[in-house]
Amino acid sequence: MERKDVKWEEIREKKRELFNLEEQYYQQKKELDNKVFDLDERNANLEKLMSEEVDKMYQVLRKFDSTADDVREYFTEIENLRHFSDQVYREHRIKLEDEIEKYDKEFRKKRNDLDEEFYRLRRDYASTNE
């Protein structure tokens, strides 16, 4: 009778470990998803600000009857800034996606290991109580 209780406690503990692992995974996944969302939002806001600046410059040019050639350097700088910010955005996005993928793989491996242990314990428990 004592053997049965010990085994059942081991099974319950393994089940708790699985539950805690999944809970931790979903919390971390949510945190990483929030980082991706924040990065995307910040990138969109920066693009919007740069577009607004270009629009403002065109309004100034129209007001003073000037052409874009008069401020070519300004537009070149804006394009350089867009290009640079896009590169930085992509680098950060790739790092986040790699982190998410790595975390997913680690979780699946740990979950599979715990699942195997859990089912092994259940089989052992069932065989000792036949």
Side-chain angles (χ1 to χ4, degrees), residues 47 49-54 57 71-85:
E47 181 58 38
L49 288 171
M50 286 189 288
S51 293
E52 289 172 357
E53 283 300 311
V54 168
M57 181 56 81
V71 289
R72 179 172 303 186
E73 192 173 308
Y74 171 81
F75 288 115
T76 301
E77 286 298 317
I78 291 288
E79 284 307 309
N80 288 341
L81 178 60
R82 272 192 173 126
H83 179 71
F84 178 72
S85 67

Side-chain angles (χ1 to χ4, degrees), residues 30-45 89 93 96 100:
K30 183 179 179 181
E31 192 175 302
L32 290 171
D33 288 344
N34 287 339
K35 285 182 180 182
V36 169
F37 178 78
D38 183 54
L39 180 65
D40 290 346
E41 192 172 81
R42 289 171 49 206
N43 184 59
N45 288 338
Y89 164 75
R93 183 67 193 249
L96 279 172
I100 289 169

Side-chain angles (χ1 to χ4, degrees), residues 84-97:
F84 178 72
S85 67
D86 190 53
Q87 282 181 315
V88 171
Y89 164 75
R90 289 174 194 245
E91 288 171 9
H92 280 80
R93 183 67 193 249
I94 288 170
K95 285 179 185 177
L96 279 172
E97 289 171 2

Side-chain angles (χ1 to χ4, degrees), residues 18-126:
L18 273 165
F19 177 77
N20 290 338
L21 178 69
E22 287 180 356
E23 188 174 302
Q24 180 183 4
Y25 168 76
Y26 289 119
Q27 287 174 351
Q28 182 68 24
K29 181 88 166 132
K30 183 179 179 181
E31 192 175 302
L32 290 171
D33 288 344
N34 287 339
K35 285 182 180 182
V36 169
F37 178 78
D38 183 54
L39 180 65
D40 290 346
E41 192 172 81
R42 289 171 49 206
N43 184 59
N45 288 338
L46 179 59
E47 181 58 38
K48 180 182 172 192
L49 288 171
M50 286 189 288
S51 293
E52 289 172 357
E53 283 300 311
V54 168
D55 290 344
K56 288 176 188 176
M57 181 56 81
Y58 277 120
Q59 289 174 5
V60 168
L61 290 173
R62 279 192 298 275
K63 181 176 181 173
F64 294 108
D65 291 326
S66 298
T67 65
D69 290 338
D70 295 336
V71 289
R72 179 172 303 186
E73 192 173 308
Y74 171 81
F75 288 115
T76 301
E77 286 298 317
I78 291 288
E79 284 307 309
N80 288 341
L81 178 60
R82 272 192 173 126
H83 179 71
F84 178 72
S85 67
D86 190 53
Q87 282 181 315
V88 171
Y89 164 75
R90 289 174 194 245
E91 288 171 9
H92 280 80
R93 183 67 193 249
I94 288 170
K95 285 179 185 177
L96 279 172
E97 289 171 2
D98 288 347
E99 189 176 345
I100 289 169
E101 184 178 331
K102 178 183 171 195
Y103 192 72
D104 284 347
K105 284 181 183 178
E106 288 175 5
F107 166 73
R108 284 192 300 273
K109 183 181 180 339
K110 287 178 184 177
R111 185 186 62 199
N112 288 342
D113 291 346
L114 283 174
D115 275 342
E116 285 179 26
E117 291 177 41
F118 176 74
Y119 289 115
R120 181 186 51 77
L121 286 170
R122 288 191 62 140
R123 280 190 308 272
D124 291 350
Y125 177 77

